[in-house]
Amino acid sequence: MLEAVGYWFNDRAPSGYPRPQKLVATWEPVQRKAVVAYLRAGLTLETYRGKSHCRFACGEQDMGHRDYTDGVFAWPEGLPHYVEKHAVRLPDHFVAHALSGTPPVEPKVKRIDDRPWLRWGVAQDATVELTGWDALGWEDQKKVLERLHARIAPGHPLHQKELEVLVGRRSTDELLVLLPDGTMAVVRLSDASTRLFASWDEWLPRSLPTGC
Ligand SMILES: [Zn+2]
């Protein structure tokens, strides 16, 4: 199987993938240039319809819509942008391979294994702690939002706001919701107590204090 590198956490669909914002480092300029060139010279593995976006929100529109491979690794087409523009670091063994001069070859098997990438993200402390939180199905989302809006009084920070449920935690009856301005809130369904935060940078997996 091909080893995944460079697949990132999606703010709107949280997962165990690392956040590149946590992986900004100092590159040796010659190495960085060579790795960027190597990533750009990959072979097309898969083409998708949807386009990717830069997780740094730098305004770059052309992040590609393909997966690339060299026969050993697989990465998204937009990965060189992260190395070149944002100095995001990658696993040492991948960098060593990229600099080794091994030419890319067509893979025998096209399946991607993302487990080493997930483990690497955890080891770099670049992942988001979401134990106990789960994605909700569309029907569940509708139901919990109705329940929530019924409890939100005028003056509440979420009053009459269009909310998108990102994940929920059944054990504490809490939702993590996205607000229209891109900020987020953890809200408890039973009493609508709420903690607002600006972005995933401020995410802490703890529960709301009771009765706030
Ligand atoms: Zn960018």
Side-chain angles (χ1 to χ4, degrees):
M1 282 206 285
L2 302 165
E3 185 179 329
V5 278
Y7 294 88
W8 305 121
F9 182 83
N10 184 337
D11 287 1
R12 309 276 299 258
S15 71
Y17 286 150
R19 298 183 68 226
Q21 294 90 337
K22 304 270 263 178
L23 292 165
V24 174
T26 312
W27 277 81
E28 196 282 305
V30 175
Q31 274 198 5
R32 177 162 157 183
K33 222 176 144 184
V35 169
V36 167
Y38 185 82
L39 289 169
R40 292 221 164 96
L43 308 171
T44 300
L45 177 67
E46 192 77 66
T47 303
Y48 302 100
R49 263 203 285 187
K51 272 201 172 180
S52 190
H53 63 281
C54 178
R55 305 300 199 262
F56 288 85
C58 70
E60 176 63 53
Q61 294 298 310
D62 193 17
M63 295 298 287
H65 56 113
R66 293 186 185 95
D67 281 338
Y68 280 176
T69 185
D70 56 8
V72 179
F73 294 92
W75 62 90
E77 190 180 1
L79 183 56
H81 171 84
Y82 289 94
V83 177
E84 188 171 47
K85 292 286 185 289
H86 304 294
V88 170
R89 63 193 167 83
L90 297 173
D92 291 340
H93 68 287
F94 171 77
V95 172
H97 181 82
L99 299 175
S100 70
T102 317
V105 292
E106 288 288 347
K108 289 192 186 76
V109 185
K110 292 200 168 185
R111 287 212 359 248
I112 299 176
D113 181 8
D114 64 3
R115 288 169 300 181
W117 175 246
L118 289 163
R119 280 197 298 271
W120 184 77
V122 171
Q124 309 308 307
D125 199 20
T127 55
V128 174
E129 171 54 41
L130 284 167
T131 310
W133 294 84
D134 297 300
L136 274 74
W138 182 244
E139 273 299 306
D140 283 347
Q141 283 209 29
K142 243 178 77 181
K143 268 190 232 158
V144 291
L145 281 175
E146 275 168 22
R147 247 179 88 194
L148 180 63
H149 280 297
R151 288 184 197 284
I152 291 177
H156 188 283
L158 304 183
H159 183 61
Q160 290 188 340
K161 293 264 168 70
E162 182 105 21
L163 304 173
E164 184 179 323
V165 181
L166 298 175
V167 281
R169 184 160 61 180
R170 218 172 274 273
S171 62
T172 52
D173 208 23
E174 289 168 321
L175 298 175
L176 173 61
V177 295
L178 184 71
L179 279 69
D181 62 0
T183 60
M184 303 192 292
V186 172
V187 55
R188 187 162 49 212
L189 275 165
S190 53
D191 58 4
S193 60
T194 297
R195 175 162 50 90
L196 296 165
F197 48 101
S199 76
W200 284 104
D201 291 325
E202 293 173 20
W203 170 251
L204 289 168
R206 64 186 157 83
S207 273
L208 290 161
T210 319
C212 71

